[in-house]
Structure formats: C-alpha cells, structure tokens
Amino acid sequence: MKVSDLSESDLRGLLRQGNLLLQISPFVARIRSDVHKVAHEIALMYGDFTVCQPEVFADFHVEVAREAGLRRWVSPLARFAFDGKRSFVPLPAAQAFPMIEWGLNWCVAAHAHQYLVIHAAVIEKGGRAAVLPAPPGSGKSTLCAGLVNRGWRLLSDELALYDLATGLIHGMARPVNLKNASIDVIRAFAPEAVFTVPVPDTTKGTVALMRPSSGSVLRAQEPVRPAWIILPKYEANAEAVLSVHGKAETFMLVAEQSFNYDIHGLRGFNAVADLLDQCASHTFTYGHLDDAVRVFERLAAEPAS
Amino acid sequence: MVLDSVPVGIWRACDEARAGIRSWDGESSAVFYSAHSGDTHLIDALAVELHELLSARPMSEPQILAALADVVEPGCEAEAASELHEHLLRLKGFGLLRESLD
C-alpha cells in the first residue's frame, strides 16, 4: 500500500497511534505525530512511498509531538523524539514536518554505520551515480533539485549511503530540502514540481521540501555504482565550469563530509579510497541551472571508463 | 679523552604504515591513514616516495639526499637538506617514518 492510497484522515489516525511505518529504503521509519498538518505534508511529499504493516520491524521510531501545557495552544511548540526520548530543542509547531525530515536525517547519520554516510547529494543516469558532497551553502541541493527535474534520478539530496562491502551507493529518494532563494529558483525552473508551503524563520532560514519523482521513489531500492564525485559551488552568474580535481584533495573533503568516517577506521579509509578509485573527480562552478544541466548531460553521455 | 663519532640519525619506514597509504597516478598529493592516531593526512607525493625508499633500506639524511639527487635542483643542496630534515620530522609525527640513532 502506498501513502497515496490513504486519506489524510487515515494518515492522521496512523500518525496519532504511532502506526505509520514508511519504507524509506533501505530503512523503515515508524512515525508518530499529533501535529495536525503533518498528515497533509506526508501525503503531499511521500505519496509514492510504501506504507508497511504495523508489525514490520522499524529501524527508527520518531515522533514530533506538541509540547504540553499552555504552549500547546499559545504559539504552539513541538519537539522531536527518537525511540521515545525527547531530543533537541522544541521548535514552533509550524516546523513539525521539516523537523521530521531533519530528525530522520539525524537518525540515519548517527546510526546507520553499516554504511559510510556521506553528506552529499546523489543522482543517477544511465546506471551511473554522481555524488555531490559539499558543505552547506554550496548550492548542492539546488543543483540536485534542478537535475532531478531534468531526467536524473534522485537518490538523495543530503545523505549518500556508501556500502563498504559492495562499493554501491544507496539513497532513500526522500523529499529535497530547499532553502531561501533556492525555493523560487526551482519553482521557476520546474513549475510542475510540488512543494510544501515554505516555512519561514527556521534555523536554516525559510525552508520548503520538494516531492521526489515517482520514478525515483519506485527505484529507491536500486543502489548505484558511483562514477563521478563532483564538488559543486554556486556563484551568481558564473559560467558553468567543470574542472578535474585531485583525488587526494577530494578524498579529504569526502572524509570531512562523512558523518561516520572516524568510526570505520582503516576500513573507512579504504572505502573512501576505493570510492575515489572508481570515480572521476571534478569541481563544478555554476551560476545558472540550464548551463549545469547541459554540462551534466555531456558528462552522462561520455562512455564509462 | 677520546671522542666517539657523533651518532647519525637513521630513518626507517614504518612497515605498518604501508596499508594506510593511497595515491593516484599523476597526482602530486596522496593520503595517509595512521592506525596509531586514527588521523588521516594529506601528504605530498615525495612522502610516498620517501616511504618506499626507506622501506627498501634505512638511510641517513645524507644518504636520502644522495638518493634524491636526480630531483634536487643543482645549487640548492643546502636548502634541500634543511627542508628534507623538516619533512622527515613531519612524517615521523604522522607515523609514516621513524628515526633511530646508529
């Protein structure tokens, strides 16, 4: 059963009971929430995702619940909880859905040590993945959102799950998190894309989520062989320039952008080195998404080395 | 009083470091993971060359300089010797090389 098979009322009931089990391959997340609008946003963003039966094993048990007392009614606040333990500071209830997204990212980054978890967007075309690791503010999610609206498959805009045993990358195909000016940039670039209502005044500024394509969600269980590591950098009005970048320098950035590199020790070191062995390494500066799409199309058209 | 000859530092490659070195053809940098500290270092290609050189046999600094004579700019031997010493100490700090007195 898909989320889209359920009415918002059904979803709200499952969320209140803590019985909404979403398959975000390769994980299952059990979500509980008493925040009314969460059901609407899950329906909007996760329509193509599979809902698992309540008895299925869930990797992560997450909850966003309204704070008790007067703050339940006056400028209501909500708080994220993981495995029944309240975590992080309470935030305005209007941020409940982004909170679930950030919370799920934290769950994966902090616990999924069967993978090397890299802070990177991952997209795929022709059976080859481009990994875009970058610090916040580099234009990674904007570039990712632009490309997945031009035929690339979304694996993730935030977390690359690198399987240390197979060398393949998994993604969850979850909604793309856009911030501030990027929201209008992607709205103009892809008018058909579906967004949540932007939420202002979060710690990241104004945020909105973009629904992943049905095709990406349907193929979320297919890991991909990485072919390119591309370090993106947005510069207003800059020409699109793709340049070869030293693998040793790229290694250091990938290690720095990995949440659990240190945990894996020599195995993690070898995993990143093996990743670099099988990928071309580039920097990519861009100022316009149309130019970026052309550069990535040329890249995808090149024969595999 | 008879003075013994001054002890000479002999440099050796740390054998256990070999598994933590990765480099790529044509690149001027490489990476090294120290199992001892858990740190990863960006190192230059010369560091890899030095590790290989000293894996073959331990050497003093003059011997290392002689082995690298082909790549040292003529007339810059004194500066190269000084730089080499600093370089060796840095690689010792990383756990790539070790020094003992002969």
Side-chain angles (χ1 to χ4, degrees):
Chain A
M1 183 170 55
K2 305 275 186 225
V3 169
S4 58
D5 296 327
L6 297 167
S7 68
E8 280 190 30
S9 171
D10 291 339
L11 272 175
R12 203 164 290 122
L14 289 173
L15 283 164
R16 281 187 186 284
Q17 296 155 14
N19 279 339
L20 179 65
L21 275 79
L22 268 187
Q23 185 165 8
I24 49 170
S25 295
F27 310 110
V28 172
R30 179 186 289 272
I31 303 172
R32 177 191 291 269
S33 184
D34 61 358
V35 180
H36 192 78
K37 64 183 291 198
V38 165
H40 173 72
E41 291 179 317
I42 286 183
L44 191 64
M45 290 292 110
Y46 281 93
D48 296 310
F49 284 72
T50 297
V51 177
C52 303
Q53 294 301 309
E55 62 274 15
V56 167
F57 174 82
D59 299 88
F60 309 118
H61 295 236
V62 302
E63 178 177 10
V64 169
R66 289 158 62 128
E67 289 283 85
L70 190 60
R71 292 311 295 264
R72 190 170 177 83
W73 313 108
V74 179
S75 302
L77 295 175
R79 189 190 282 249
F80 180 81
F82 171 68
D83 274 356
K85 290 181 189 152
R86 299 200 305 167
S87 313
F88 310 118
V89 293
L91 293 172
Q95 298 180 24
F97 184 66
M99 220 187 301
I100 290 174
E101 289 299 302
W102 301 331
L104 283 173
N105 286 343
W106 173 79
C107 288
V108 173
H111 300 94
H113 300 316
Q114 65 271 47
Y115 300 103
L116 182 72
V117 185
I118 307 167
H119 180 217
V122 188
I123 53 175
E124 177 264 348
K125 186 166 258 195
R128 292 183 288 172
V131 182
L132 316 175
S138 55
K140 161 178 65 72
S141 289
T142 314
L143 179 61
C144 171
L147 292 168
V148 299
N149 278 292
R150 292 293 186 275
W152 288 73
R153 164 161 74 111
L154 172 72
L155 279 92
S156 178
D157 75 316
E158 191 74 9
L159 299 174
L161 306 173
Y162 181 64
D163 187 321
L164 284 78
T166 64
L168 300 176
I169 293 196
H170 298 252
M172 296 170 275
R174 285 171 45 217
V176 176
N177 199 330
L178 294 168
K179 298 184 282 289
N180 304 315
S182 295
I183 300 166
D184 285 337
V185 167
I186 297 299
R187 272 188 173 144
F189 185 74
E192 69 285 3
V194 175
F195 295 87
T196 56
V197 174
V199 180
D201 304 324
T202 77
T203 54
K204 298 166 188 270
T206 298
V207 300
L209 288 122
M210 187 189 82
R211 179 178 172 133
S213 71
S214 300
S216 295
V217 178
L218 283 171
R219 296 178 60 198
Q221 295 186 46
E222 292 178 28
V224 187
R225 178 76 51 196
W228 308 278
I229 296 178
I230 299 173
L231 314 177
K233 185 167 176 23
Y234 170 80
E235 285 179 16
N237 298 316
E239 277 184 42
V241 178
L242 186 73
S243 309
V244 171
H245 194 248
K247 291 194 174 187
E249 284 82 3
T250 302
F251 181 111
M252 297 304 284
L253 188 131
V254 170
E256 182 187 297
Q257 291 296 316
S258 301
F259 293 96
N260 56 358
Y261 172 77
D262 291 335
I263 290 172
H264 288 292
L266 181 61
R267 190 165 179 238
F269 172 83
N270 284 326
V272 177
D274 291 347
L275 174 65
L276 266 299
D277 281 347
Q278 59 179 319
C279 287
S281 168
H282 298 280
T283 57
F284 179 57
T285 306
Y286 74 102
H288 300 283
L289 280 174
D290 285 321
D291 296 342
V293 169
R294 279 191 287 277
V295 169
F296 274 71
E297 282 306 306
R298 280 201 295 273
L299 206 56
E302 288 174 5
S305 57
Chain B
M1 185 171 66
V2 178
L3 287 174
D4 290 332
S5 57
V6 177
V8 176
I10 296 294
W11 290 91
R12 293 176 164 79
C14 295
D15 292 338
E16 65 276 16
R18 189 183 312 278
I21 299 172
R22 292 291 279 262
S23 58
W24 290 270
D25 288 346
E27 297 214 353
S28 59
S29 298
V31 288
F32 168 58
Y33 172 79
S34 166
H36 180 67
S37 67
D39 292 334
T40 303
H41 304 278
L42 185 67
I43 57 176
D44 59 24
L46 177 60
V48 180
E49 197 176 331
L50 283 168
H51 188 270
E52 286 172 2
L53 188 69
L54 296 170
S55 292
R57 71 179 178 93
M59 292 185 189
S60 64
E61 287 183 34
Q63 287 172 321
I64 296 170
L65 269 178
L68 297 176
D70 288 350
V71 292
V72 174
E73 288 283 318
C76 299
E77 289 80 3
E79 290 89 339
S82 170
E83 293 281 345
L84 176 68
H85 183 70
E86 293 302 316
H87 205 70
L88 292 168
L89 288 176
R90 193 159 54 245
L91 299 182
K92 178 183 170 186
F94 289 169
L96 200 58
L97 305 178
R98 60 193 164 90
E99 183 187 19
S100 58
L101 293 179
D102 192 22

